[in-house]
Amino acid sequence: MLIERLIEALGAEAVKTSPEDLACYSFDAYSQGVLPSAVVLPSSAAQVSAVVKIARDLEEPLIARGSGTGLCGGAAPARAGVVLSFARMNRLLELDVENRRARVAPGLVNLQLSERIASTGFFYAPDPASQRASTIGGNIATNAGGPHCLAYGTTVNHVLALEIVDERGECFTTAVEDLGYDLTALLVGSEGTLGIVTSAWVRLLRIPPTTGVWLAAFPSIESASEAVSAIVGAGIVPTALEMMDATIVRAVESAYAAGYPADAAAVLLVESSGEPEEVASADSAIARIARAHGATKWQAATSTEQREALWRGRKGAAGAIGRIAPNYYTQDVCVPRTRLPEMLATVDEAAKQHGIVVGNVFHAGDGNLHPLLLYDKRDARQVAAVIEIGNIVLARAVELGGTISGEHGVGIEKRNGMSLVYRAEDLAAMANVREIFDPHALLNPEKIFPSGISCREMRT
Amino acid sequence: MNDAAISAALADASAHRRPVALRAGDVFSGMHRRVIDADEIDLRSRRAIREYEPRDLTIAVECGITAAQLEQTLREHRQFLPLDAPNAPQASVGGVLAAAWSGPRRHRYGRPRDLLIGSEFALADGTLARAGGMVVKNVAGYDLSRLFVGSMGSLAILLRANFKALPLPESTRIFLAALPDGTRERAFSQVRNLRPEPAAAWWIAGYDREIDGDPGDDGRIAILLECDNALLERATLDWRAALGRAGIPETRLLDAGAYASFTRLLDAPMHLPGLNALSYRSVSLPSQALALADSIADVIDRFDMHRDLLVDIMNGDVTVRAVGDAASFTHVVGMLDDALHDRAPRARILAGGGEVHDRLDCFGLLPNAFAQMRALKERFDPHGILNPGIAFFDGLHT
Ligand SMILES: Cc1cc2nc3c(=O)[nH]c(=O)nc-3n(C[C@H](O)[C@H](O)[C@H](O)COP(=O)(O)OP(=O)(O)OC[C@H]3O[C@@H](n4cnc5c(N)ncnc54)[C@H](O)[C@@H]3O)c2cc1C
């Protein structure tokens, strides 16, 4: 019944049902979910709407999916249902350079937007390390961040308006300039649980005239993280301030020869963009602070090639780790920036205690850590240890005034962690919002909320 | 009133279905309807800085704090929040958020909501809850803090707001220029392409009391430069050269007085010279702003009113302040709505003198997601006790 109706609405070539196809859409970069009942590839908002109406009639869950690069199980079906892949809705729909904005379909791959508009002198700022693969729809649904969010903000700061297909299959639009509640901000980061994004207006920024990239090497991870706190504390906000520890540096060097000093205990990658005078003052101010915190090296990239090489190392860090360990698990927490040294100390201790190798590569300027825990999934002891360390890291982040996810989202992975940060009343307020937008719990069910949370608490 | 007292007052009001009205800075009261028959909860005494770690560049404040106080605190640590609030010594931070106020520096630094990272709030039944936190990146759960932005106190009472602060620019300079006849269009596009990018830029026709100097045949422009000291002089040369190419031979520079002038221009639309006056803003796109400004001027001139126009060159807002006969305003706004309908659906009244305000509907067209907003209102405030009548999602408009 489901399949026939989907085929009738979208045509047979837009509906996938073979076991191999279903298997391909049953997981994301974090986890394996269950097999969906069907996968559809709509080509328009009208088709999305038709699919939603059919699924609703048959009480089938709906799971929106970008490229499946999510790291929290967001796009992995938890209760079968229909997966909506946006692979065919991937166009740049309108480019309005004069007003510095673009309208995009949700399946457009992040990097392609900036590449396509580069000749106009503008770019799209949010740049998750997955930007070669992840889609703008997925980025919106997860409020994705990236190295340059330090200066430019995360996805929510760059979405101007949304077109949404709701749980009934009806379309509505929101805009930041709208009167009334900021539904645009509510929908960004809602992980496909409040509505399905079918297009978005995003902000474009002017490409800065000058960009400087520097590398600083430190004798210890503590001194590097103290330097980060000091840079931000001095009121300097570079465009990016990324940290990598010895494990990552070595992995990256052997994979890409990015030019990182292989003997450093920690490396900071710093980027500053703007007018030449601003970049020059950032250079001298940050170099001074880095040296005062024991940096053994401060090296500027002097050519575009060198700059790109330094960044290639950072952006490819996860891939490089993949070459030295059979499996790795990426944790994602965010703490106030002055608490970075304490947070890193906890990660280090917990890893040592459990005999697990950890590599840290992260958005240091934002206090957003990504410990990569290396393990072998065939070894039950290692799997248990990784889970335990993950929990220790979450709890410590919250204790330090931080949160359980800085950018990867909650999905299925961190549902239960939500109770670490929020009390029942806080979660109930969110659950009320969810119930309004998704009264039948069909939009990406079993995500975000810890099991057993209801909105009853708030009803009078 | 502390949080517990506000919670208790709300629980009681909710149990007895008794409406409450929130009182704060009163600066944005022209942007909404008057609240009808309600007990007052006064938030003006809630002005504490709750957490401020300058080295983290984050700050948490009680929402009754004024924009000026907040600015002062941050300034001591060479930080700022570009709230761009009009009448900052009076405007509360809660009011800025509830009214979804955003000013001329938003293209550069973002809107106040962009810098909001967390909040504590009281729900209609008195439940105290919170969202977000004190970290600059946070994707744990829905962004309820921002949902309340623009709610005009009708969804929950914002008690505490957490912000990401920014380092204060080292230098501030305003460039003022009278435009020779026929140079306005060129000036507009030149200003939008200036490097470094202006922090704010206005085209002004009128507002003669707010700025000194020659009004110019084709209006005048005021452009705000905020940058590092190292860049100031080179940027000044480049800007002057660029403006020269647009046919603007002379620019006056304001350094010491720059900040005060900027503030006067922020305040201007909210300062009505008398009761028979109105301020109206339409939010459009920068590319359409000039044409809109002309249409607005045309309408007002038909009624023989005095008018001051302010066009935000970087963002596209057109603000007009008109002074005339109270009886005409209903017609003026009706004609403006008709004239702008297709081009700038997001127009609204900012301020209106007593009688003028009461006669007018202060909202422009309803947002497309009106039904969703109303459903939220009904769920979060089932008995309609929070600021009843203030907003269009109350059902009054249907
Ligand atoms: C190597 C690597 C590096 C990464 N680096 C970063 C990083 O720097 N910063 C960062 O934030 N993340 C990062 N991620 C995580 C991931 O790439 C982001 O979460 C990204 O935004 C997901 O996009 P996607 O298109 O792959 O979405 P998916 O994984 O397919 O989906 C993610 C979520 O979005 C929902 N969704 C997708 N499309 C829509 C739609 N149209 N409407 C409604 N909901 C939708 C899904 O249901 C799901 O909940 C990284 C991942 C990898 C593998």
Side-chain angles (χ1 to χ4, degrees), chain A residues 64 66-70 74 86 129-130 134-135 138-139 141-142 144-145 191-192 197 407 444:
Chain A
S67 296
T69 66
F86 289 98
S130 58
S134 66
T135 64
N139 296 165
T142 52
E191 302 188 22
V197 179
E407 59 179 18
N444 211 2

Side-chain angles (χ1 to χ4, degrees), chain A residues 96-101 121 142-147 149-154 156-160 166 168 171-186 188-191 193-194 203 205-209 229 232-237 275-279 281-282 332 334-339 363 365-368 401-410 418 420-423 425-426 429-437 448-449 455 457-460, chain B residues 14 17 53-58 77-79 100 102 106-111 113-115 121 123-125 127-144 146-152 154-155 164-168 170 191-198 226-228 230-231 234-235 238 283-288 314-315 317 346-348 362-383 391-394:
Chain A
D96 179 7
V97 174
E98 201 182 355
N99 294 307
R100 303 178 179 193
R101 57 182 197 151
T142 52
N143 187 15
C149 293
L150 175 58
Y152 300 127
T154 58
V156 70
N157 304 123
H158 298 273
V159 174
L160 298 170
D166 73 10
R168 295 164 308 159
C171 208
F172 70 92
T173 59
T174 73
V176 171
E177 300 282 9
D178 275 351
L179 288 175
Y181 312 143
D182 195 339
L183 297 183
T184 311
L186 175 70
V188 173
S190 64
E191 302 188 22
T193 64
L194 299 179
R203 271 174 88 196
L205 302 185
R206 266 213 304 215
I207 297 174
S229 295
V232 177
I236 304 166
V237 180
E275 296 297 322
E277 294 88 340
E278 293 170 313
V279 173
S281 27
D332 162 43
C334 194
V335 293
R337 316 179 229 221
T338 43
R339 314 307 291 270
H363 315 303
D366 282 319
N368 187 189
T403 187
I404 57 163
S405 177
E407 59 179 18
H408 292 165
V410 180
M418 287 286 279
L420 291 174
V421 233
Y422 297 117
R423 296 162 308 172
E425 302 87 292
D426 312 329
M430 290 184 198
N432 270 284
V433 171
R434 164 122 203 207
E435 214 186 72
I436 289 168
F437 283 85
I448 299 184
F449 291 92
C455 37
E457 276 94 320
M458 208 175 83
R459 291 200 187 125
T460 36
Chain B
S14 178
R17 314 276 192 268
E53 172 49 83
R55 290 181 314 140
D56 278 334
L57 282 169
T58 55
H77 296 274
R78 305 208 49 76
Q79 295 177 6
S102 73
R106 67 173 181 267
H107 71 286
R108 167 89 172 260
Y109 304 111
R111 297 169 166 77
R113 63 81 108 159
D114 287 308
L115 299 158
F121 46 90
L123 297 168
D125 65 0
T127 303
L128 297 174
R130 61 194 169 78
M134 289 297 281
V135 284
V136 295
K137 284 169 81 181
N138 192 346
V139 293
Y142 300 147
D143 193 343
L144 295 187
R146 289 191 175 105
L147 172 68
F148 298 138
V149 171
S151 69
M152 298 181 204
S154 70
L155 207 55
K164 155 170 144 177
L166 304 176
L168 193 68
E170 290 174 346
V191 168
R192 281 183 47 73
N193 290 316
L194 286 175
R195 286 232 191 237
E197 191 143 278
E226 293 186 328
C227 65
D228 282 3
L231 180 57
R234 200 265 294 170
D238 286 1
V283 178
S284 72
L285 292 167
S287 63
Q288 298 174 347
M314 305 309 291
N315 298 293
D317 300 355
R346 299 186 187 98
R348 68 186 306 175
C362 37
F363 309 114
L365 281 185
L366 292 181
N368 179 277
F370 171 64
Q372 284 75 10
M373 291 186 194
R374 212 173 58 187
L376 281 163
K377 168 71 180 170
E378 282 166 4
R379 173 61 66 96
F380 276 76
D381 183 14
H383 309 304
F392 58 88
F393 11 79
D394 276 8

Side-chain angles (χ1 to χ4, degrees), chain A residues 27-30 62-76 84 86 105-108 127-131 133-147 149 155 164 187 190-199 242 314-315 318-319 328 330 332 363 368 370 406-409 411 444 447, chain B residues 137 139:
Chain A
F27 55 84
D28 70 357
Y30 165 75
L62 286 148
I63 303 97
R65 182 185 180 92
S67 296
T69 66
L71 290 170
C72 60
L84 288 132
F86 289 98
L108 179 63
D127 63 337
S130 58
Q131 71 182 147
S134 66
T135 64
I136 295 186
N139 296 165
I140 290 172
T142 52
N143 187 15
C149 293
T155 300
I164 301 286
L187 288 154
S190 64
E191 302 188 22
T193 64
L194 299 179
I196 295 167
V197 179
T198 49
S199 72
E242 300 282 305
R314 164 62 187 92
K315 294 216 171 184
Y328 69 89
T330 313
D332 162 43
H363 315 303
N368 187 189
H370 292 325
E407 59 179 18
H408 292 165
N444 211 2
K447 307 291 166 72
Chain B
K137 284 169 81 181
V139 293

